[in-house]
Amino acid sequence: METAGTGSDWEASGAATIWRGDRGVYDRGDTVCVIGAGASGLAAVKNLREQGFAVDCYERETGVGGAWNWRHARSPMYASTHLISSKPGTQYPDFPMPDDWPDYPHHTKVLTYLEHYAEHFGLREHVWFGTEVVRVEPGDPDRGLWDVTTRVGSKERTSRYAGVVVANGHLWSPKLPRYDGQDGYRGRVIHSSAYKDPAQLRGLRVLVVGGGNSGCDIAVDAAQQANRCWHSTRRGYWYAPKYLLGRPADQVNDLMSALRLPLSMRQWFGQRELRRTVGDPSRYGLPKPDHKLYESHPIVNSQLLYHVGHGDIEPVPDIKHFTATSVVLANGEEIEPDLVVLATGYLPRFEFLSPQLLDADTDGRPRLHLYTFSRKYPTLFLTGLVQGDSGLLPIAHWQAVVIAKWLRLRDTDPQRAATFWTSIAGTADRRWTQAKTTDSTRHWFELDHTLYLTALQRVLSELEAAR
Ligand SMILES: Cc1cc2nc3c(=O)[nH]c(=O)nc-3n(C[C@H](O)[C@H](O)[C@H](O)COP(=O)(O)OP(=O)(O)OC[C@H]3O[C@@H](n4cnc5c(N)ncnc54)[C@H](O)[C@@H]3O)c2cc1C
């Protein structure tokens, strides 16, 4: 196991101890705490370091890469996962993926890329691996300090930090629907997080539930490995192929954004291109899309319609209820799968933070400015908590740059920082997409990356001007 140091190192280095009740708290001075060493946490460590901050990053697992590290118990990756966003829109702006990599690399390549990123910028030495954050509490709220309690085995330690960046990912806690009769069902039911390898499907009758990207990928795996595959979706979706007009589909979309075409025109053009390339989804027996393109994050899958067209995937409606041996669908059809895979998504979870600190609503949705800044605490941040129409890494990078520059401004010019903070705290909640989306957890942090990155750029310009 790799570790950045031990508690006794800190004692040896003379780190002061503050007393909080009967608990000793290590004072880490101006050090910033980052929670998680996935793509977002690594970007935070790098950019905070570049602004001159000492950083302690805590990572529950024993390596970097977060979700992309398939060795991690909570990784949602399965053997066939490839990028959905193409290489240029996925890589960090300051660390390109190799030229000879394909447009949509395999998940193991993404992990290699993140490991190289950590290596190149010397990030590992700032990460405490195998260390879970169990509590984050205001330490000295007036000074913006935080007490972070970590656990290794059964040993807990609390350290005081000048700021906390939460980068704990939001694709690890399964969102599980409950259906009538499910408890008495004798077949197997798993969540997609437990799906790792197509061998799990071989020779079985499989029902895949959910029309998101994972659901579609798993249905495609089942089409090739299972005895029979039903794919249940509640709504109609647009199924974009990975290539449009001979280019990765997201690059065509970016081109339209760069031309500053209004959303309605992009929707018209995109829907027309999809109809011309793959045809009307209802021709394949799939429900008609009940929304316009870009009003849900895109399903990017070139193989799903192909397999539906070959009869290897049978589209079916929502589940009504289970019996002991079957699944009854909304249209009354009764099917008898051996295995049901619930690709029903994930819920964001922050067990180490009380909901009040995140200004969370009754559903648990944190209220944040720019999906990044706490509205109440100027030194508490979240990164990577977005559901976008593009790769996440560039977004995590620019969020980290904004956080690091903001914290630096607090140090160098507290008065200007206070003015800046008032403007942030006073800004009304807003959505970062012009498209209408449903209020499901799937769209809580929906964003149009062009709109969002422009907003981050504006904040950066304000921070630069304030220096
Ligand atoms: C099938 C699939 C396909 C995807 N395809 C794409 C794609 O094409 N492009 C794209 O950009 N994104 C894609 N994603 C999204 C992917 O999740 C992000 O790219 C990225 O992994 C998010 O990084 P993160 O650092 O925010 O979160 P994570 O990768 O989840 O990392 C969070 C880290 O925090 C650690 N952690 C959590 N809680 C604690 C704690 N209490 N204490 C200490 N450590 C903690 C975790 O162990 C983990 O290492 C895909 C996801 C899936 C599931």
Side-chain angles (χ1 to χ4, degrees), residues 35-41 58-61 63 65-68 72 76-78 81-85 90 131-134 167-172 214 217 346 351-352 383-384 390-393:
I35 303 172
S40 305
Y58 294 112
E59 170 52 58
R60 176 171 40 207
E61 302 281 354
W68 293 104
H72 293 171
M77 295 298 148
Y78 34 86
T81 313
H82 287 75
L83 277 182
I84 299 158
S85 49
T90 307
T131 307
E132 183 175 17
V133 171
V134 290
N168 67 332
H170 60 100
L171 298 181
W172 54 268
S214 293
D217 279 352
Y346 295 85
E351 321 98 310
F352 47 81
T383 67
S390 70
L392 177 105
L393 282 55

Side-chain angles (χ1 to χ4, degrees), residues 104-355:
Y104 295 103
H106 188 244
H107 70 86
T108 48
K109 276 200 153 62
V110 182
L111 173 59
T112 303
Y113 170 75
L114 293 172
E115 287 174 339
H116 284 167
Y117 178 78
E119 212 59 60
H120 180 79
F121 291 106
L123 307 180
R124 279 176 205 272
E125 63 192 88
H126 307 286
V127 185
W128 297 73
F129 290 99
T131 307
E132 183 175 17
V133 171
V134 290
R135 266 188 316 280
V136 174
E137 305 155 292
D140 182 344
D142 293 341
R143 293 169 58 214
L145 306 181
W146 293 92
D147 287 352
V148 177
T149 303
T150 53
R151 187 187 294 150
V152 180
S154 60
K155 250 184 122 178
E156 288 195 358
R157 184 178 70 196
T158 305
S159 311
R160 182 159 292 180
Y161 288 99
V164 173
V165 181
V166 178
N168 67 332
H170 60 100
L171 298 181
W172 54 268
S173 178
K175 179 178 165 188
L176 286 165
R178 294 298 303 169
Y179 299 99
D180 285 347
Q182 192 181 329
D183 289 341
Y185 180 60
R186 291 203 212 108
R188 273 194 77 206
V189 181
I190 61 168
H191 184 262
S192 56
S193 55
Y195 172 69
K196 298 292 161 199
D197 194 279
Q200 289 169 261
L201 311 171
R202 208 160 286 156
L204 301 179
R205 287 164 303 168
V206 178
L207 168 63
V208 181
V209 182
N213 282 302
S214 293
C216 292
D217 279 352
I218 298 169
V220 166
D221 282 353
Q224 296 164 80
Q225 300 293 333
N227 200 0
R228 189 163 179 187
C229 171
W230 297 275
H231 186 205
S232 161
T233 55
R234 248 188 317 196
R235 334 173 41 192
Y237 292 97
W238 295 97
Y239 297 93
K242 281 197 152 168
Y243 290 90
L244 263 182
L245 307 172
R247 307 283 308 165
D250 57 351
Q251 294 176 22
V252 177
N253 190 27
D254 278 356
L255 182 68
M256 287 195 288
S257 293
L259 294 173
R260 294 181 184 270
L261 295 182
L263 175 67
S264 56
M265 201 174 278
R266 283 195 288 134
Q267 285 173 320
W268 174 82
F269 176 80
Q271 288 179 195
R272 194 192 68 162
E273 276 317 301
L274 287 189
R275 281 206 193 89
R276 275 164 41 144
T277 319
V278 295
D280 184 344
S282 53
R283 253 210 79 250
Y284 294 79
L286 290 155
K288 233 183 165 38
D290 59 356
H291 56 281
K292 289 188 181 156
L293 195 62
Y294 310 126
E295 288 181 354
S296 178
H297 14 106
I299 310 298
V300 186
N301 194 308
S302 297
Q303 293 168 284
L304 185 94
L305 295 182
Y306 173 89
H307 286 293
V308 173
H310 286 70
D312 302 329
I313 296 175
E314 298 168 53
V316 293
D318 202 6
I319 294 177
K320 197 164 160 215
H321 63 90
F322 284 72
T323 71
T325 54
S326 69
V327 178
V328 179
L329 303 166
N331 60 2
E333 190 186 346
E334 196 166 343
I335 58 175
E336 296 189 352
D338 307 300
L339 174 68
V340 180
V341 184
L342 300 173
T344 41
Y346 295 85
L347 285 172
R349 264 180 59 191
F350 311 94
E351 321 98 310
F352 47 81
L353 267 170
S354 94

Side-chain angles (χ1 to χ4, degrees), residues 363-435:
D363 295 324
R365 178 197 330 212
R367 293 287 174 187
L368 303 161
H369 180 61
L370 277 163
Y371 297 152
T372 307
F373 286 85
S374 151
R375 291 187 160 274
K376 289 188 180 159
Y377 300 93
T379 51
L380 177 64
F381 315 91
L382 272 79
T383 67
L385 186 61
V386 298
Q387 297 151 330
D389 58 347
S390 70
L392 177 105
L393 282 55
I395 288 171
H397 167 88
W398 289 113
Q399 287 177 327
V401 173
V402 167
I403 292 168
K405 295 216 168 181
W406 154 242
L407 283 174
R408 189 40 79 217
L409 181 68
R410 268 176 57 89
D411 271 357
T412 53
D413 194 339
Q415 212 169 341
R416 276 176 187 257
T419 314
F420 177 83
W421 175 248
T422 312
S423 76
I424 281 195
T427 315
D429 254 357
R430 64 158 293 182
R431 298 164 72 248
W432 293 102
T433 172
Q434 290 169 335

Side-chain angles (χ1 to χ4, degrees), residues 22-44:
D22 58 357
R23 230 178 340 140
V25 176
Y26 290 102
D27 184 1
R28 297 291 289 144
D30 292 338
T31 306
V32 179
C33 170
V34 174
I35 303 172
S40 305
L42 290 174

Side-chain angles (χ1 to χ4, degrees), residues 49-70:
R49 291 291 303 137
E50 281 186 2
Q51 283 298 312
F53 289 99
V55 180
D56 288 337
C57 172
Y58 294 112
E59 170 52 58
R60 176 171 40 207
E61 302 281 354
T62 53
V64 299
W68 293 104
N69 196 327
W70 51 273

